[in-house]
């Protein structure tokens, strides 16, 4: 938080001898207002490495402008056998699903996970998600569109 004095924000520097110098001042009423928006996430899937493996990659869209979005507090992937999921919607709260959380992003805002399916033809419903805190302090989730993948259907 920047110091505010009589509706003026002052940006200060401190020299080695402890002298404070104002770099510039902005009236709060003149400061640009940034409207935060909810983030978006996409998902891709591919065969991975040797053997029967599936690589899931989530992508925080527009990651280079992350400061324009509500604060993302968690991100990850969820997946579940399509046969067991049935017609239910896959979310982080779906009983029985697998949830993979990540602690960081790659430089481009992506995050990846590789797993070995039960069988090459087992179909999984998969989604990437971002958890964020909205303007009211409430926890919200955004999801990628669901994908149904099996090792046999991937290139």
């Amino acid at each position: 938080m920047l110091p505010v004095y009589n509706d003026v924000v002052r940006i200060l520097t401190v020299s080695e001898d402890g002298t404070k110098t104002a770099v510039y001042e902005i009236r709060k009423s003149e400061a640009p207002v940034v409207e935060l928006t909810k983030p978006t996430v996409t998902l891709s899937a591919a065969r991975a490495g040797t053997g029967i493996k599936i690589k899931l990659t989530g992508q925080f869209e527009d990651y280079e402008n992350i400061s324009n979005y509500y604060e993302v507090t968690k991100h990850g992937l969820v997946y579940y056998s399509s046969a067991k999921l049935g017609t239910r919607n896959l979310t982080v709260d779906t009983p029985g699903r697998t949830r993979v959380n990540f602690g960081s992003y790659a430089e481009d805002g992506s995050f990846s996970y590789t797993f070995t399916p039960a069988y090459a033809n087992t179909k999984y419903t998969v989604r990437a998600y971002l958890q964020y805190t909205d303007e009211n302090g409430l926890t919200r989730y955004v999801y990628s569109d669901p994908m149904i993948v099996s090792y046999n259907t991937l290139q």
Side-chain angles (χ1 to χ4, degrees):
M1 183 71 145
L2 297 172
V4 178
Y5 306 97
N6 297 326
D7 202 35
V8 174
V9 177
R10 292 189 178 126
I11 309 299
L12 303 174
T13 60
V14 179
S15 65
E16 288 183 22
D17 66 1
T19 307
K20 295 180 182 178
T21 308
V23 176
Y24 62 90
E25 296 181 353
I26 303 173
R27 295 210 166 275
K28 276 180 62 177
S29 58
E30 296 171 3
V33 176
V34 177
E35 279 291 322
L36 297 178
T37 58
K38 74 178 185 178
T40 57
V41 64
T42 57
L43 174 69
S44 62
R47 288 183 179 187
T50 59
I52 300 173
K53 295 183 182 191
I54 297 173
K55 181 178 182 180
L56 305 174
T57 302
Q59 177 68 49
F60 185 143
E61 292 297 308
D62 197 32
Y63 181 73
E64 61 274 9
N65 295 307
I66 194 168
S67 62
N68 294 337
Y69 300 96
Y70 292 115
E71 179 185 3
V72 173
T73 53
K74 288 185 184 175
H75 63 286
L77 302 162
V78 289
Y79 66 95
Y80 197 36
S81 161
S82 296
K84 291 179 181 177
L85 182 64
T87 59
R88 293 181 293 160
N89 190 25
L90 179 61
T91 71
V92 296
D93 296 321
T94 302
R97 56 81 189 118
T98 298
R99 178 177 177 172
V100 182
N101 293 313
F102 295 87
S104 61
Y105 301 95
E107 287 182 20
D108 63 353
S110 65
F111 44 97
S112 297
Y113 175 73
T114 300
F115 73 100
T116 303
Y119 300 98
N121 63 350
T122 302
K123 291 182 180 177
Y124 293 90
T125 301
V126 297
R127 295 179 94 177
Y129 73 89
L130 301 175
Q131 176 185 312
Y132 69 95
T133 305
D134 72 9
E135 69 276 5
N136 298 314
L138 299 174
T139 298
R140 304 283 185 192
Y141 291 89
V142 290
Y143 294 92
S144 65
D145 291 334
M147 291 179 70
I148 298 176
V149 299
S150 74
Y151 179 82
N152 287 344
T153 62
L154 296 172
Q155 298 289 328

